[in-house]
């Protein structure tokens, strides 16, 4: 059993989707940002960085894992799924996972901030981060023109991690019509039952 501490963000949805794909039993513990539960002392013992998601693996001595990419690698290695055992194929999947972790997530996250939350509109910042997000989308589009999935012929942790952020582009009204291969990939994955169910975690009250 996995204890999942999460919220309705792209990073949180990565793990619920992955758990659904792996068919691992899990219990959801929604973290209320409004109450800053992620900074509570009890939660900092699970994730010292005070962010979501985090998990506790009850079947492995209550082992705690934080950072979404680290959680995904841990779950893939635990189950032997969604991450190839072939060294080269495994490396490709991790490369694209890191592309999301270091590129798509941070850049799109900054675009989100400056468009939705900054106390004043700063056109330079908005343009910088929106343009960089689109550039990264173009890299994904080119990759998906030559490969069915980011890591090759099979779904991997890289696809799950990246899909949640591409899907969240609607938050700032970004379109991907100019990236047909990325759009087709997003729609294909979005029709998978695990993606549909995992995207609804945690349930809204």
């Amino acid at each position: 059993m996995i204890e999942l501490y999460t919220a309705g963000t792209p990073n949180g949805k990565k793990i619920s989707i992955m758990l659904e794909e792996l068919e691992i039993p899990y219990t959801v513990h929604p973290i209320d940002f409004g109450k800053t539960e992620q900074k509570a002392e009890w939660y900092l013992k699970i994730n010292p960085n005070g962010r979501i998601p985090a998990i506790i693996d009850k079947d492995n001595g209550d082992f705690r894992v934080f950072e979404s990419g680290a959680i995904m690698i841990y779950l893939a290695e635990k189950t032997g799924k969604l991450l190839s055992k072939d060294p080269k194929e495994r490396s490709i999947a991790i490369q694209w996972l890191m592309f999301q972790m270091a590129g798509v997530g941070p850049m799109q996250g900054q675009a989100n901030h400056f468009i939705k939350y900054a106390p004043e509109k700063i056109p330079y910042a908005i343009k910088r981060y929106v343009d960089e997000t689109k550039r990264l989308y173009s890299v994904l589009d080119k990759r998906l023109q030559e490969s069915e999935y980011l890591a090759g012929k099979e779904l991997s942790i890289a696809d799950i991690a990246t899909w949640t952020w591409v899907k969240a582009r609607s938050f700032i009204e970004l379109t991907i019509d100019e990236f047909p291969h990325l759009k087709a990939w997003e729609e294909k994955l979005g029709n998978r039952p695990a993606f549909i169910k995992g995207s609804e975690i945690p349930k809204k009250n």
Side-chain angles (χ1 to χ4, degrees), residues 21 23 28 64 73-74 77 84 93 95 99-101 106 134 145 148 152-153 156:
E21 282 284 348
E23 299 182 323
V28 179
R64 301 172 179 186
I73 293 172
Y74 174 80
E77 291 178 339
S84 176
Q95 288 173 55
F99 177 84
Q100 183 282 305
M101 299 288 295
K134 288 184 175 180
Q145 182 178 11
E148 183 176 1
K153 296 180 180 180
S156 76

Side-chain angles (χ1 to χ4, degrees), residues 169-188:
R169 76 191 183 282
S170 59
F171 184 67
I172 52 175
E173 300 179 357
L174 281 181
T175 67
I176 54 173
D177 291 342
E178 63 194 284
F179 307 119
H181 307 288
L182 180 62
K183 186 175 182 179
W185 168 88
E186 183 211 35
E187 292 175 352
K188 177 175 64 177

Side-chain angles (χ1 to χ4, degrees), residues 2 7 10 12 15 26 28 34 36 40 49-50 64 71 77 80 99 113 118 135 144 146 149 159 162 181:
I2 298 292
I15 310 307
Y26 65 102
V28 179
T36 62
N49 194 35
R64 301 172 179 186
I71 296 170
E77 291 178 339
F99 177 84
H113 173 78
R135 187 192 72 79
L144 292 165
E146 62 190 24
Y149 297 102
D159 297 288
T162 306
H181 307 288

Side-chain angles (χ1 to χ4, degrees), residues 31-38:
I31 298 297
D32 190 334
F33 291 157
K35 297 178 181 178
T36 62
E37 287 183 337
Q38 74 275 19

Side-chain angles (χ1 to χ4, degrees), residues 6-177:
T6 190
T9 69
N11 286 337
K13 291 177 182 180
K14 292 176 188 176
I15 310 307
S16 50
I17 290 172
M18 185 169 181
L19 288 167
E20 291 293 336
E21 282 284 348
L22 296 174
E23 299 182 323
I24 296 177
Y26 65 102
T27 300
V28 179
H29 301 278
I31 298 297
D32 190 334
F33 291 157
K35 297 178 181 178
T36 62
E37 287 183 337
Q38 74 275 19
K39 302 300 183 183
E41 192 63 31
W42 66 267
Y43 185 69
L44 292 175
K45 293 178 181 178
I46 302 170
N47 183 351
N49 194 35
R51 297 287 190 271
I52 65 94
I55 65 168
I56 298 177
D57 187 348
K58 305 298 288 187
D59 299 325
N60 190 19
D62 288 349
F63 187 66
R64 301 172 179 186
V65 190
F66 68 95
E67 288 295 326
S68 61
I71 296 170
M72 299 185 88
I73 293 172
Y74 174 80
L75 292 173
E77 291 178 339
K78 176 183 175 72
T79 60
K81 299 177 180 178
L82 297 174
L83 185 60
S84 176
K85 292 180 176 62
D86 176 84
K88 291 182 180 179
E89 292 178 0
R90 175 186 172 86
S91 176
I92 292 170
I94 292 177
Q95 288 173 55
W96 284 105
L97 174 65
M98 294 301 109
F99 177 84
Q100 183 282 305
M101 299 288 295
V104 176
M107 295 300 102
Q108 190 172 325
Q110 290 296 322
N112 291 351
H113 173 78
F114 283 105
I115 291 173
K116 291 290 189 178
Y117 300 117
E120 62 178 297
K121 295 295 182 183
I122 305 175
Y124 170 79
I126 292 172
K127 184 177 188 304
R128 170 181 169 80
Y129 290 114
V130 168
D131 286 353
E132 180 61 6
T133 298
K134 288 184 175 180
R135 187 192 72 79
L136 294 168
Y137 282 2
S138 73
V139 175
L140 291 168
D141 189 67
K142 184 176 180 180
R143 170 59 176 170
L144 292 165
Q145 182 178 11
E146 62 190 24
S147 179
E148 183 176 1
Y149 297 102
L150 289 175
K153 296 180 180 180
E154 296 184 359
L155 181 76
S156 76
I157 56 177
D159 297 288
I160 297 172
T162 306
W163 183 88
T164 63
W165 277 96
V166 175
K167 184 67 175 178
R169 76 191 183 282
S170 59
F171 184 67
I172 52 175
E173 300 179 357
L174 281 181
T175 67
I176 54 173
D177 291 342

